[in-house]
């Protein structure tokens, strides 16, 4: 989030009329680190390396792919 967006968010939050307990809850949520669905840098790097390896295999003819229509019907 850029500085302008952060400033706008801060002004919005300051304009809310919150009870002390609501402010405390909001503060906890804002600093809470997400634990689900967040990939580590190593997981992202490994995933990209695997994807590029598979792409090279496709280009060399060592790996077959499916048609886009097949993938859409699978969804």
């Amino acid at each position: 989030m850029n500085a302008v967006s952060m400033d706008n968010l801060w002004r919005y939050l300051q304009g809310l009329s919150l009870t002390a307990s609501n402010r405390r809850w909001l503060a906890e949520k804002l600093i809470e680190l997400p634990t689900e669905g967040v990939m580590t840098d190593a997981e992202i790097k490994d995933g990209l390396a695997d994807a590029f390896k598979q792409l090279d295999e496709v280009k060399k003819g060592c790996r077959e792919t499916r048609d886009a229509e097949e993938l859409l019907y699978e969804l």
Side-chain angles (χ1 to χ4, degrees), residues 1-56:
M1 188 177 278
N2 64 33
V4 173
S5 298
M6 291 290 285
D7 188 49
N8 288 338
L9 176 59
W10 179 246
R11 278 192 238 153
Y12 172 75
L13 292 173
Q14 285 179 319
L16 296 175
S17 56
L18 300 173
T19 65
S21 64
N22 285 343
R23 272 189 243 131
R24 188 173 25 262
W25 177 88
L26 180 58
E28 289 171 1
K29 293 300 177 187
L30 290 173
I31 62 171
E32 187 175 273
L33 295 174
T35 56
E36 293 180 18
V38 176
M39 296 174 67
T40 65
D41 290 344
E43 290 173 325
I44 293 170
K45 186 177 177 181
D46 291 343
L48 286 171
D50 189 41
F52 285 120
K53 178 183 169 193
Q54 290 179 17
L55 182 59
D56 285 340

